[in-house]
Amino acid sequence: MLFIGAPLLYAILLGYVYSKGKATDLAIVVVDLDQSEMSAKAIEMFNDDEVLTIKAVLYDKNNLSKIAVDNGANCVVIIPKDFQKDVLTKRYPEIITFVNTANILTANFSSNAIQVCLGTLKVGVQYETLRKQGVPEKLLASQYEPFKTTFIKKFNRSSNYLYYLWPGVLSAVLQQVMLLALALSFASEFENGTFRILVDQCPSIIKMMSIKIIPYLIMSFGVWLLYWMFTFYFNIPFFENLWELTFVAGVFVISVSFIGILVSILIPSQLKATEILMVIATPSFILSGFSWPLSQMPGWIQGIANVIPLTHFLNAFRILIIENGTLGQTYASIKGMIIIGAVCAILAFIALYFKRKEVLKTQL
């Protein structure tokens, strides 16, 4: 129930949470102390922007903080008195914008939209001034700016939050349920006293490890197919490198599986094994470098992050799906997961060997 239900629930829940993709209709408050044609033009431009919605237009600063909080304003734009007159007489007036950074995401979206609107207004004013000075239309652009700057977005060009966050969080969920399930694999045998029966029926250590892991590998492939079908439902354009990513996901799942059974063998209590693995799983998405660059973290934090399979998988995911890279470019990530899985597999084999040896001794 947990293994299948949790990925399904999170896929649906997070898909709908981020289904809009971009933040729009963010509330702002405008204080128009000038009440001129130019300030009205600025307000009109704010209204026309899809990111912004003006909740209130004020004509003084009385109770401004309270009004901003009551309206949930992300920004408060103050257009000063004599704004139009100062612009026309080149006195360089200043529009002040107060940005509510309690939520950094909405603060960035709204403040960037305001900058675009005011920047467009600046250009329009400058062009009109140059026209009045008799500058020909063909020369207007070169007179206003000596060179052009062009920014071309690649890989998630629409800055869609659903495309960015949904796959990463679901990968973290898959790792978490894998660890939760496998925490009980051998610990439950020790607690219930059935490990002796397991040893009698399955004398091979490799076979014992395989019968605990293989069912979850099969179910993980089913969950992977479920995730893929959800990309169609939520219109997420992940079509390239799917077979390569499936291979990387297989390495990821095997690596996580060996961590799970290692802890389950070393910690004979189901509760304790689960607690330890939750300590590993809970912060793994934050440490992975997916939402905050790994390069910006202290060296010792990077060291911890690199022993968690999710860190390497999400790096490979970003290269293959978001950046349309090649499997060869994910070699370092695949190697990292293989090393983690191999080390845990060897340690699990050794630990299980001694556990099995203890049972066989008591039978003599």
Side-chain angles (χ1 to χ4, degrees):
M1 288 293 292
L2 173 67
F3 194 92
I4 298 171
L8 176 63
L9 176 63
Y10 276 100
I12 296 171
L13 185 64
L14 291 172
Y16 278 110
V17 166
Y18 296 108
S19 60
K20 199 173 180 181
K22 291 179 67 176
T24 59
D25 302 316
L26 299 176
I28 66 169
V29 170
V30 179
V31 181
D32 185 3
L33 301 178
D34 191 39
Q35 300 182 47
S36 62
E37 183 182 342
M38 195 172 291
S39 65
K41 184 65 177 176
I43 293 170
E44 182 185 347
M45 294 177 75
F46 294 149
N47 265 325
D48 289 341
D49 193 288
E50 66 167 352
V51 176
L52 305 173
T53 183
I54 298 176
K55 286 291 184 179
V57 178
L58 310 176
Y59 303 104
D60 57 56
K61 297 181 184 179
N62 296 334
N63 299 318
L64 183 56
S65 295
K66 181 180 183 302
I67 293 170
V69 172
D70 289 344
N71 285 281
N74 295 282
C75 293
V76 176
V77 182
I78 301 178
I79 302 173
K81 186 175 173 55
D82 298 327
F83 171 66
Q84 179 171 293
K85 184 176 72 174
D86 289 347
V87 168
L88 296 176
T89 55
K90 297 185 177 181
R91 292 182 181 176
Y92 206 60
E94 181 181 17
I95 292 179
I96 298 174
T97 302
F98 293 97
V99 182
N100 181 355
T101 50
N103 185 318
I104 295 173
L105 175 69
T106 55
N108 287 339
F109 268 101
S110 54
S111 60
N112 287 342
I114 290 170
Q115 286 178 14
V116 169
C117 291
L118 294 178
T120 305
L121 181 63
K122 280 183 186 178
V123 173
V125 170
Q126 186 67 26
Y127 272 29
E128 192 59 34
T129 302
L130 291 173
R131 282 192 187 98
K132 289 178 180 179
Q133 293 174 354
V135 177
E137 287 291 327
K138 292 182 179 180
L139 297 178
L140 282 177
S142 60
Q143 288 285 328
Y144 177 69
E145 53 181 359
F147 60 89
K148 292 182 179 180
T149 54
T150 303
F151 294 86
I152 301 174
K153 290 183 178 181
K154 297 185 68 177
F155 319 127
N156 192 7
R157 294 177 63 180
S158 62
S159 301
N160 191 299
Y161 225 64
L162 176 66
Y163 303 167
Y164 159 65
L165 201 57
W166 187 79
V169 174
L170 291 191
S171 302
V173 170
L174 180 59
Q175 175 181 265
Q176 189 154 336
V177 295
M178 284 287 295
L179 291 176
L180 272 173
L182 288 163
L184 311 179
S185 57
F186 285 101
S188 61
E189 303 280 3
F190 299 138
E191 271 197 350
N192 298 329
T194 55
F195 183 66
R196 186 185 304 274
I197 300 171
L198 181 64
V199 171
D200 292 337
Q201 294 182 349
C202 189
S204 167
I205 294 175
I206 293 177
K207 189 176 179 182
M208 270 194 280
M209 293 169 65
S210 298
I211 61 174
K212 294 295 185 182
I213 291 176
I214 289 174
Y216 289 107
L217 294 182
I218 295 170
M219 286 192 289
S220 295
F221 185 72
V223 171
W224 187 250
L225 288 176
L226 186 70
Y227 283 174
W228 177 67
M229 287 187 286
F230 271 117
T231 62
F232 292 98
Y233 181 77
F234 290 113
N235 297 315
I236 302 174
F238 293 162
F239 308 118
E240 302 294 329
N241 298 323
L242 286 177
W243 287 112
E244 291 86 346
L245 184 65
T246 301
F247 168 73
V248 175
V251 177
F252 165 65
V253 168
I254 292 170
S255 179
V256 172
S257 298
F258 282 122
I259 294 175
I261 63 167
L262 173 61
V263 174
S264 188
I265 294 167
L266 295 177
I267 311 297
S269 165
Q270 296 181 66
L271 178 61
K272 293 294 183 185
T274 303
E275 288 174 347
I276 289 171
L277 287 171
M278 281 302 91
V279 169
I280 297 172
T282 302
S284 60
F285 182 73
I286 297 170
L287 297 178
S288 68
F290 194 77
S291 58
W292 180 257
L294 200 62
S295 62
Q296 305 304 305
M297 302 179 193
W300 64 275
I301 294 288
Q302 294 182 36
I304 295 172
N306 284 323
V307 298
I308 300 174
L310 184 66
T311 302
H312 302 285
F313 174 72
L314 289 180
N315 184 54
F317 167 82
R318 180 185 280 117
I319 292 171
L320 289 173
I321 300 299
I322 299 177
E323 298 175 356
N324 295 326
T326 64
L327 187 63
Q329 291 172 304
T330 66
Y331 171 75
S333 298
I334 295 172
K335 180 182 175 184
M337 289 186 286
I338 290 174
I339 291 172
I340 294 168
V343 170
C344 290
I346 293 168
L347 294 176
F349 183 92
I350 294 170
L352 199 56
Y353 170 81
F354 285 107
K355 292 280 186 181
R356 175 174 167 273
K357 192 173 181 182
E358 287 177 14
V359 171
L360 294 175
K361 274 185 181 180
T362 59
Q363 289 180 345
L364 296 176

mmCIF file of all heavy atoms in Angstrom, residues 75-105:
data_model
loop_
_atom_site.group_PDB
_atom_site.id
_atom_site.type_symbol
_atom_site.label_atom_id
_atom_site.label_comp_id
_atom_site.label_asym_id
_atom_site.label_seq_id
_atom_site.Cartn_x
_atom_site.Cartn_y
_atom_site.Cartn_z
ATOM 1 N N CYS A 75 4.210 43.358 -3.912
ATOM 2 C CA CYS A 75 4.978 44.583 -4.134
ATOM 3 C C CYS A 75 4.077 45.798 -3.931
ATOM 4 O O CYS A 75 2.864 45.719 -4.180
ATOM 5 C CB CYS A 75 5.559 44.632 -5.542
ATOM 6 S SG CYS A 75 6.832 43.404 -5.887
ATOM 7 N N VAL A 76 4.685 46.886 -3.495
ATOM 8 C CA VAL A 76 4.001 48.175 -3.416
ATOM 9 C C VAL A 76 4.802 49.161 -4.258
ATOM 10 O O VAL A 76 5.989 49.401 -3.986
ATOM 11 C CB VAL A 76 3.896 48.682 -1.964
ATOM 12 C CG1 VAL A 76 3.269 50.076 -1.937
ATOM 13 C CG2 VAL A 76 3.090 47.721 -1.105
ATOM 14 N N VAL A 77 4.172 49.693 -5.303
ATOM 15 C CA VAL A 77 4.843 50.624 -6.225
ATOM 16 C C VAL A 77 4.378 52.044 -5.894
ATOM 17 O O VAL A 77 3.174 52.321 -5.878
ATOM 18 C CB VAL A 77 4.504 50.292 -7.692
ATOM 19 C CG1 VAL A 77 5.253 51.232 -8.634
ATOM 20 C CG2 VAL A 77 4.835 48.840 -7.998
ATOM 21 N N ILE A 78 5.342 52.919 -5.629
ATOM 22 C CA ILE A 78 5.022 54.312 -5.292
ATOM 23 C C ILE A 78 5.478 55.233 -6.421
ATOM 24 O O ILE A 78 6.679 55.363 -6.690
ATOM 25 C CB ILE A 78 5.674 54.727 -3.961
ATOM 26 C CG1 ILE A 78 5.188 53.818 -2.828
ATOM 27 C CG2 ILE A 78 5.375 56.187 -3.649
ATOM 28 C CD1 ILE A 78 5.825 54.116 -1.483
ATOM 29 N N ILE A 79 4.511 55.828 -7.102
ATOM 30 C CA ILE A 79 4.801 56.803 -8.159
ATOM 31 C C ILE A 79 4.796 58.184 -7.511
ATOM 32 O O ILE A 79 3.781 58.614 -6.949
ATOM 33 C CB ILE A 79 3.743 56.732 -9.282
ATOM 34 C CG1 ILE A 79 3.700 55.315 -9.868
ATOM 35 C CG2 ILE A 79 4.037 57.757 -10.369
ATOM 36 C CD1 ILE A 79 2.588 55.091 -10.864
ATOM 37 N N PRO A 80 5.920 58.900 -7.552
ATOM 38 C CA PRO A 80 6.038 60.140 -6.770
ATOM 39 C C PRO A 80 5.202 61.291 -7.343
ATOM 40 O O PRO A 80 4.778 61.271 -8.502
ATOM 41 C CB PRO A 80 7.531 60.458 -6.858
ATOM 42 C CG PRO A 80 7.953 59.860 -8.157
ATOM 43 C CD PRO A 80 7.138 58.602 -8.320
ATOM 44 N N LYS A 81 5.001 62.288 -6.507
ATOM 45 C CA LYS A 81 4.311 63.511 -6.924
ATOM 46 C C LYS A 81 5.151 64.233 -7.991
ATOM 47 O O LYS A 81 6.379 64.176 -7.956
ATOM 48 C CB LYS A 81 4.108 64.410 -5.700
ATOM 49 C CG LYS A 81 3.272 65.659 -5.969
ATOM 50 C CD LYS A 81 3.034 66.406 -4.660
ATOM 51 C CE LYS A 81 2.356 67.749 -4.882
ATOM 52 N NZ LYS A 81 1.093 67.674 -5.643
ATOM 53 N N ASP A 82 4.489 64.861 -8.947
ATOM 54 C CA ASP A 82 5.144 65.583 -10.056
ATOM 55 C C ASP A 82 5.982 64.647 -10.929
ATOM 56 O O ASP A 82 6.976 65.072 -11.545
ATOM 57 C CB ASP A 82 6.032 66.724 -9.520
ATOM 58 C CG ASP A 82 5.219 67.769 -8.765
ATOM 59 O OD1 ASP A 82 4.048 67.998 -9.148
ATOM 60 O OD2 ASP A 82 5.743 68.349 -7.797
ATOM 61 N N PHE A 83 5.601 63.393 -10.977
ATOM 62 C CA PHE A 83 6.368 62.405 -11.750
ATOM 63 C C PHE A 83 6.434 62.787 -13.237
ATOM 64 O O PHE A 83 7.522 62.856 -13.826
ATOM 65 C CB PHE A 83 5.726 61.019 -11.586
ATOM 66 C CG PHE A 83 6.289 59.955 -12.484
ATOM 67 C CD1 PHE A 83 7.594 59.519 -12.343
ATOM 68 C CD2 PHE A 83 5.506 59.386 -13.490
ATOM 69 C CE1 PHE A 83 8.113 58.532 -13.173
ATOM 70 C CE2 PHE A 83 6.021 58.403 -14.317
ATOM 71 C CZ PHE A 83 7.320 57.978 -14.163
ATOM 72 N N GLN A 84 5.293 63.055 -13.848
ATOM 73 C CA GLN A 84 5.265 63.376 -15.274
ATOM 74 C C GLN A 84 6.021 64.660 -15.570
ATOM 75 O O GLN A 84 6.814 64.732 -16.520
ATOM 76 C CB GLN A 84 3.821 63.492 -15.760
ATOM 77 C CG GLN A 84 3.698 63.856 -17.245
ATOM 78 C CD GLN A 84 2.280 63.752 -17.753
ATOM 79 O OE1 GLN A 84 1.721 62.664 -17.837
ATOM 80 N NE2 GLN A 84 1.678 64.901 -18.095
ATOM 81 N N LYS A 85 5.820 65.674 -14.734
ATOM 82 C CA LYS A 85 6.494 66.961 -14.947
ATOM 83 C C LYS A 85 8.000 66.801 -14.851
ATOM 84 O O LYS A 85 8.759 67.348 -15.672
ATOM 85 C CB LYS A 85 5.996 67.982 -13.916
ATOM 86 C CG LYS A 85 6.564 69.382 -14.122
ATOM 87 C CD LYS A 85 5.963 70.378 -13.146
ATOM 88 C CE LYS A 85 6.499 70.145 -11.748
ATOM 89 N NZ LYS A 85 6.036 71.199 -10.794
ATOM 90 N N ASP A 86 8.462 66.033 -13.857
ATOM 91 C CA ASP A 86 9.903 65.832 -13.678
ATOM 92 C C ASP A 86 10.506 65.030 -14.827
ATOM 93 O O ASP A 86 11.656 65.271 -15.214
ATOM 94 C CB ASP A 86 10.170 65.124 -12.352
ATOM 95 C CG ASP A 86 9.908 66.017 -11.152
ATOM 96 O OD1 ASP A 86 9.768 67.238 -11.350
ATOM 97 O OD2 ASP A 86 9.836 65.494 -10.013
ATOM 98 N N VAL A 87 9.737 64.077 -15.354
ATOM 99 C CA VAL A 87 10.236 63.305 -16.501
ATOM 100 C C VAL A 87 10.411 64.213 -17.708
ATOM 101 O O VAL A 87 11.439 64.186 -18.396
ATOM 102 C CB VAL A 87 9.269 62.139 -16.830
ATOM 103 C CG1 VAL A 87 9.618 61.525 -18.194
ATOM 104 C CG2 VAL A 87 9.331 61.068 -15.755
ATOM 105 N N LEU A 88 9.402 65.053 -17.959
ATOM 106 C CA LEU A 88 9.438 65.926 -19.140
ATOM 107 C C LEU A 88 10.495 67.011 -19.030
ATOM 108 O O LEU A 88 11.035 67.473 -20.040
ATOM 109 C CB LEU A 88 8.058 66.550 -19.368
ATOM 110 C CG LEU A 88 6.926 65.556 -19.692
ATOM 111 C CD1 LEU A 88 5.596 66.269 -19.799
ATOM 112 C CD2 LEU A 88 7.241 64.787 -20.972
ATOM 113 N N THR A 89 10.813 67.398 -17.796
ATOM 114 C CA THR A 89 11.850 68.427 -17.596
ATOM 115 C C THR A 89 13.203 67.806 -17.258
ATOM 116 O O THR A 89 14.130 68.493 -16.836
ATOM 117 C CB THR A 89 11.432 69.392 -16.470
ATOM 118 O OG1 THR A 89 11.141 68.657 -15.277
ATOM 119 C CG2 THR A 89 10.190 70.182 -16.887
ATOM 120 N N LYS A 90 13.294 66.488 -17.405
ATOM 121 C CA LYS A 90 14.543 65.743 -17.203
ATOM 122 C C LYS A 90 15.136 65.938 -15.802
ATOM 123 O O LYS A 90 16.337 66.140 -15.643
ATOM 124 C CB LYS A 90 15.573 66.119 -18.277
ATOM 125 C CG LYS A 90 15.128 65.751 -19.691
ATOM 126 C CD LYS A 90 16.212 66.016 -20.714
ATOM 127 C CE LYS A 90 15.774 65.584 -22.100
ATOM 128 N NZ LYS A 90 16.801 65.796 -23.126
ATOM 129 N N ARG A 91 14.280 65.895 -14.792
ATOM 130 C CA ARG A 91 14.756 65.995 -13.403
ATOM 131 C C ARG A 91 14.990 64.619 -12.774
ATOM 132 O O ARG A 91 15.277 64.523 -11.586
ATOM 133 C CB ARG A 91 13.747 66.791 -12.574
ATOM 134 C CG ARG A 91 13.683 68.261 -12.975
ATOM 135 C CD ARG A 91 12.725 69.020 -12.107
ATOM 136 N NE ARG A 91 12.632 70.425 -12.497
ATOM 137 C CZ ARG A 91 11.793 71.303 -11.949
ATOM 138 N NH1 ARG A 91 10.962 70.906 -10.982
ATOM 139 N NH2 ARG A 91 11.761 72.545 -12.365
ATOM 140 N N TYR A 92 14.788 63.569 -13.550
ATOM 141 C CA TYR A 92 15.120 62.197 -13.144
ATOM 142 C C TYR A 92 14.373 61.768 -11.879
ATOM 143 O O TYR A 92 14.995 61.503 -10.839
ATOM 144 C CB TYR A 92 16.636 62.071 -12.943
ATOM 145 C CG TYR A 92 17.155 60.661 -13.131
ATOM 146 C CD1 TYR A 92 17.004 59.997 -14.335
ATOM 147 C CD2 TYR A 92 17.781 60.001 -12.088
ATOM 148 C CE1 TYR A 92 17.474 58.708 -14.507
ATOM 149 C CE2 TYR A 92 18.257 58.710 -12.243
ATOM 150 C CZ TYR A 92 18.095 58.067 -13.460
ATOM 151 O OH TYR A 92 18.561 56.797 -13.630
ATOM 152 N N PRO A 93 13.070 61.689 -11.923
ATOM 153 C CA PRO A 93 12.299 61.253 -10.748
ATOM 154 C C PRO A 93 12.510 59.758 -10.480
ATOM 155 O O PRO A 93 13.007 59.023 -11.334
ATOM 156 C CB PRO A 93 10.859 61.527 -11.149
ATOM 157 C CG PRO A 93 10.871 61.409 -12.633
ATOM 158 C CD PRO A 93 12.199 61.935 -13.082
ATOM 159 N N GLU A 94 12.121 59.325 -9.300
ATOM 160 C CA GLU A 94 12.365 57.946 -8.872
ATOM 161 C C GLU A 94 11.057 57.255 -8.482
ATOM 162 O O GLU A 94 10.307 57.754 -7.642
ATOM 163 C CB GLU A 94 13.332 57.930 -7.679
ATOM 164 C CG GLU A 94 13.666 56.547 -7.182
ATOM 165 C CD GLU A 94 14.610 56.577 -5.990
ATOM 166 O OE1 GLU A 94 14.742 57.651 -5.360
ATOM 167 O OE2 GLU A 94 15.202 55.534 -5.678
ATOM 168 N N ILE A 95 10.797 56.115 -9.106
ATOM 169 C CA ILE A 95 9.680 55.257 -8.685
ATOM 170 C C ILE A 95 10.244 54.218 -7.721
ATOM 171 O O ILE A 95 11.182 53.486 -8.056
ATOM 172 C CB ILE A 95 9.015 54.565 -9.892
ATOM 173 C CG1 ILE A 95 8.305 55.597 -10.763
ATOM 174 C CG2 ILE A 95 8.025 53.499 -9.430
ATOM 175 C CD1 ILE A 95 7.627 55.001 -11.993
ATOM 176 N N ILE A 96 9.683 54.160 -6.541
ATOM 177 C CA ILE A 96 10.164 53.243 -5.504
ATOM 178 C C ILE A 96 9.223 52.034 -5.434
ATOM 179 O O ILE A 96 8.003 52.190 -5.385
ATOM 180 C CB ILE A 96 10.253 53.934 -4.136
ATOM 181 C CG1 ILE A 96 11.262 55.083 -4.201
ATOM 182 C CG2 ILE A 96 10.643 52.943 -3.048
ATOM 183 C CD1 ILE A 96 11.319 55.921 -2.936
ATOM 184 N N THR A 97 9.792 50.847 -5.415
ATOM 185 C CA THR A 97 9.008 49.623 -5.277
ATOM 186 C C THR A 97 9.460 48.879 -4.028
ATOM 187 O O THR A 97 10.641 48.527 -3.890
ATOM 188 C CB THR A 97 9.179 48.709 -6.504
ATOM 189 O OG1 THR A 97 8.787 49.415 -7.680
ATOM 190 C CG2 THR A 97 8.341 47.452 -6.368
ATOM 191 N N PHE A 98 8.534 48.652 -3.122
ATOM 192 C CA PHE A 98 8.798 47.836 -1.941
ATOM 193 C C PHE A 98 8.399 46.393 -2.263
ATOM 194 O O PHE A 98 7.264 46.130 -2.650
ATOM 195 C CB PHE A 98 8.000 48.338 -0.740
ATOM 196 C CG PHE A 98 8.436 49.687 -0.246
ATOM 197 C CD1 PHE A 98 7.779 50.842 -0.640
ATOM 198 C CD2 PHE A 98 9.519 49.799 0.608
ATOM 199 C CE1 PHE A 98 8.185 52.082 -0.197
ATOM 200 C CE2 PHE A 98 9.937 51.045 1.059
ATOM 201 C CZ PHE A 98 9.272 52.193 0.662
ATOM 202 N N VAL A 99 9.352 45.470 -2.105
ATOM 203 C CA VAL A 99 9.116 44.065 -2.469
ATOM 204 C C VAL A 99 8.990 43.230 -1.196
ATOM 205 O O VAL A 99 9.864 43.270 -0.322
ATOM 206 C CB VAL A 99 10.274 43.519 -3.334
ATOM 207 C CG1 VAL A 99 9.993 42.077 -3.759
ATOM 208 C CG2 VAL A 99 10.482 44.397 -4.561
ATOM 209 N N ASN A 100 7.902 42.492 -1.102
ATOM 210 C CA ASN A 100 7.682 41.586 0.033
ATOM 211 C C ASN A 100 8.406 40.277 -0.250
ATOM 212 O O ASN A 100 7.954 39.456 -1.034
ATOM 213 C CB ASN A 100 6.179 41.348 0.204
ATOM 214 C CG ASN A 100 5.876 40.426 1.382
ATOM 215 O OD1 ASN A 100 6.777 39.900 2.017
ATOM 216 N ND2 ASN A 100 4.596 40.235 1.672
ATOM 217 N N THR A 101 9.558 40.087 0.400
ATOM 218 C CA THR A 101 10.369 38.893 0.153
ATOM 219 C C THR A 101 10.100 37.784 1.159
ATOM 220 O O THR A 101 10.938 36.895 1.357
ATOM 221 C CB THR A 101 11.868 39.255 0.168
ATOM 222 O OG1 THR A 101 12.161 39.999 1.350
ATOM 223 C CG2 THR A 101 12.240 40.072 -1.043
ATOM 224 N N ALA A 102 8.931 37.804 1.803
ATOM 225 C CA ALA A 102 8.550 36.694 2.679
ATOM 226 C C ALA A 102 8.486 35.403 1.870
ATOM 227 O O ALA A 102 8.835 34.326 2.358
ATOM 228 C CB ALA A 102 7.201 36.976 3.346
ATOM 229 N N ASN A 103 8.033 35.512 0.614
ATOM 230 C CA ASN A 103 8.065 34.390 -0.321
ATOM 231 C C ASN A 103 8.955 34.807 -1.492
ATOM 232 O O ASN A 103 8.595 35.674 -2.274
ATOM 233 C CB ASN A 103 6.647 34.055 -0.814
ATOM 234 C CG ASN A 103 6.627 32.817 -1.697
ATOM 235 O OD1 ASN A 103 7.487 32.633 -2.549
ATOM 236 N ND2 ASN A 103 5.636 31.966 -1.488
ATOM 237 N N ILE A 104 10.135 34.182 -1.584
ATOM 238 C CA ILE A 104 11.122 34.615 -2.570
ATOM 239 C C ILE A 104 10.635 34.381 -3.994
ATOM 240 O O ILE A 104 10.892 35.185 -4.897
ATOM 241 C CB ILE A 104 12.462 33.892 -2.325
ATOM 242 C CG1 ILE A 104 13.038 34.306 -0.968
ATOM 243 C CG2 ILE A 104 13.470 34.198 -3.418
ATOM 244 C CD1 ILE A 104 14.268 33.547 -0.548
ATOM 245 N N LEU A 105 9.910 33.286 -4.215
ATOM 246 C CA LEU A 105 9.434 32.970 -5.566
ATOM 247 C C LEU A 105 8.495 34.050 -6.089
ATOM 248 O O LEU A 105 8.707 34.604 -7.170
ATOM 249 C CB LEU A 105 8.724 31.611 -5.563
ATOM 250 C CG LEU A 105 8.078 31.205 -6.886
ATOM 251 C CD1 LEU A 105 9.140 30.899 -7.930
ATOM 252 C CD2 LEU A 105 7.160 29.999 -6.705
#
